[in-house]
Amino acid sequence: MAKNRNLDPEFISKLDVLDAQEAAVYLRTSTSTLAKYRMHKRGPAFIRQSARKVLYRRADLDAWMTERKAA
């Protein structure tokens, strides 16, 4: 992790594209949970930028949370 990385939830909520660590903060979960979601194809849509880099669109994270909303 970069030393001066801004993982403030308010800052992150303004980003359109988030990496896995930022997405985990946004969803209030861990990066390992997101990795498990990807492995089991149960989580939010993601973009594989490279073999080791995954990105998420904030709109996809919001849509995924809306889909999982309990009645």
Side-chain angles (χ1 to χ4, degrees):
M1 181 167 85
K3 282 186 178 182
N4 296 325
R5 182 124 189 230
N6 189 350
L7 293 177
D8 176 53
E10 188 174 325
F11 171 77
I12 289 173
S13 71
K14 295 176 181 152
L15 298 175
D16 289 329
V17 178
L18 297 81
D19 65 18
Q21 190 172 17
E22 293 163 341
V25 170
Y26 186 72
L27 295 175
R28 295 180 163 199
T29 192
S30 67
T31 54
S32 64
T33 296
L34 282 179
K36 289 174 188 173
Y37 287 159
R38 289 192 305 271
M39 184 171 51
H40 296 292
K41 297 180 169 82
R42 293 182 28 192
F46 64 93
I47 302 160
R48 183 161 304 280
Q49 186 178 28
S50 69
R52 300 184 79 151
K53 179 82 171 187
V54 175
L55 299 174
Y56 294 87
R57 289 185 182 104
R58 185 168 41 91
D60 291 336
L61 298 175
D62 292 338
W64 182 74
M65 285 191 293
T66 299
E67 291 170 5
R68 299 180 57 82
K69 182 179 175 183

